[in-house]
Each structure stands twice: as C-alpha cells, then as structure tokens.
Amino acid sequence: ELAHVTRITTLGELTASIAHEINQPLAAVISNADACIGWLGRDPADLDAARRSVEWIVEDANRASEVIRRIRALAKKTEIEMVPVDINQVVREVMALVRRELATHAVSVRMELSSGLPNICGDRIQLQQVLINLVMNGIEAMQANVQLPRELAIRSSQDGDGHLLLTVTDRGVGLDSDVTDRMFMPFFTTKSSGLGMGLSICRSIIEAHAGRLSAFQNDGSGATFQIALPFPQEAAS
Ligand code: ADP
C-alpha cells in the first residue's frame, strides 16, 4: 500500500512535467492540422504537403499516447510481476518520465549503459519506481549547487559475481554519517516537505528482488546509490 502511495506522490510531483510532455505533441498536432487545412485549401490542393502534415500528426499523437501509456502503467496498482527485464530499457523509460524535471532544475545526465547485459528477472514498474526515487533525490540533493555543476550519472554494468549493477551518482550535498545511518529507515527525512518513505521502499523493493541497495559518499562531492541485482541462474553461468 505504501509503495503505491509513494508512487502516486512521486507522480504528483511530476505532474507539471508530465503535462508538458503531453502538451508539446498536442500543440504540434494542432499546428500541423492547421497547416494541413491550409495545404488542402490551396487551388490546386497541395496533397504532398498535406500528406506530410498528417504524417507528422500521427507521429506526435503516438508520442503523446506513449507518455500516457507509461503513466498509466506506473499509476496502476498491480500484483508484482517478475519477468525478464532489460535494465537499460528501464533507465530509458524513466529518463523519458523525468526529462522535464531534470530540465527545470538544470540538471544534466550522463548515461553510461553497458551494452550486452543479460536481462534480470524483475518487476519493471517497481524497478522504474526505485530509479525515479533515486533520480528525484539526486536532483533535490543538487538544488543548492551554484559552483558545482548539477550533474547526474547513471551507469549500468556487471560485477564479476553474477550481479547487475546500476548506480546513480550526484554531485549534491552528500551523505554525512548521521544521514547514512538513518536514511533507509521509514519516515526519516531531512526535507521540510519530505515523507521519508522513498529510500525505505526502494530498499524493500530491491530486497524483494534478492538484490541490495547501498549508498556511498563520493570521493569528490555528492553521493552514489547502487542497486545490485542477481542475474537469473542460466544467464549468469
Ligand atoms: P525524502 O526524499 O522524502 O526525504 P527518502 O527516503 O527518499 O525520503 O530520503 C531520506 C533522506 O535521505 C533524505 O531526506 C535525505 O536526507 C537523504 N538522501 C536521500 N537521497 C540523497 C542524496 N542523493 N544525497 C544526499 N542525501 C540524500
């Protein structure tokens, strides 16, 4: 239940971004439809140009409906479903959802995704939720950065031990030991409007996948959160 509540809360925070993601293609649909009417109204009608406009309309409408499909999937309350998951695909889907949030906060993202990683077995939506939480926390941790660039790095790789590793590195306030000790506890928050459930739910989700979620202070500034997930037996051998 709590996982669902937090997911919805996070979606609430993302509402402005999501609205923008949908509004943009809709605006393009309208202007292309206008243009199309114009091409058809010529004498003789410019059918090639009209066809092109309609093709663009189809593309933009598909983009908008894809955004809605992803949000629906995220907001829907479903049983946990363990299926083969390409983690890089999960990262890309999450990036599409938080793109606007990143832009608003002037955060750039560096993605270093290993190619050829075996699939892991997991619940795609829950893994998305974990990643969204980590990215949103990273953005918030860099809110006060003036001198330092606001940069998130997301990396996927595998260790020598049959685990997939996914890390989210920020250059934010970092973790002092007081926070590190308690941040995975339910309701621990240092934010004025924080709920303090994000990391505790993330950890439960990762542990339900037989994995580990850990955090380190970076050598430079900021923090790194690492998800380690086991590859299914067959893939690891
Ligand atoms: P909330 O974001 O609502 O506070 P979380 O469980 O996600 O709840 O986080 C708990 C606390 O852990 C935060 O309030 C913050 O103090 C700390 N924290 C989480 N992510 C980071 C980060 N990337 N850098 C520094 N501190 C963090």
Side-chain angles (χ1 to χ4, degrees), residues 5 32 46 89 126 157 190:
V5 168
N32 277 315
D46 187 337
Q89 188 60 29
Q126 289 199 338
S157 60
T190 56

Side-chain angles (χ1 to χ4, degrees), residues 137-138 141 170 173-175 179 183 188-191 194-199 223 225:
N137 276 346
D170 64 57
V173 292
L175 306 170
V179 170
M183 65 184 177
F188 173 80
T189 181
T190 56
K191 299 168 192 169
L195 185 58
M197 286 309 297
L199 287 179
F225 284 77

Side-chain angles (χ1 to χ4, degrees), residues 86-156:
D86 171 357
I87 203 73
N88 291 344
Q89 188 60 29
V90 170
V91 173
R92 287 189 204 100
E93 283 164 1
V94 164
M95 283 303 113
L97 285 170
V98 299
R99 200 172 58 193
R100 175 84 181 153
E101 204 65 24
L102 292 162
T104 313
H105 292 91
V107 172
S108 62
V109 177
R110 197 146 47 92
M111 296 220 272
E112 293 171 17
L113 305 181
S114 274
S115 55
L117 289 173
N119 284 342
I120 49 136
C121 186
D123 185 292
R124 159 184 302 279
I125 301 299
Q126 289 199 338
L127 294 173
Q128 281 184 9
Q129 189 193 350
V130 171
L131 192 56
I132 289 177
N133 265 301
L134 297 182
V135 168
M136 297 295 277
N137 276 346
I139 293 174
E140 281 166 9
M142 295 191 288
Q143 198 114 286
N145 281 19
V146 182
Q147 301 290 337
L148 281 173
R150 298 182 184 175
E151 192 181 74
L152 272 184
I154 301 181
R155 301 186 175 92
S156 65

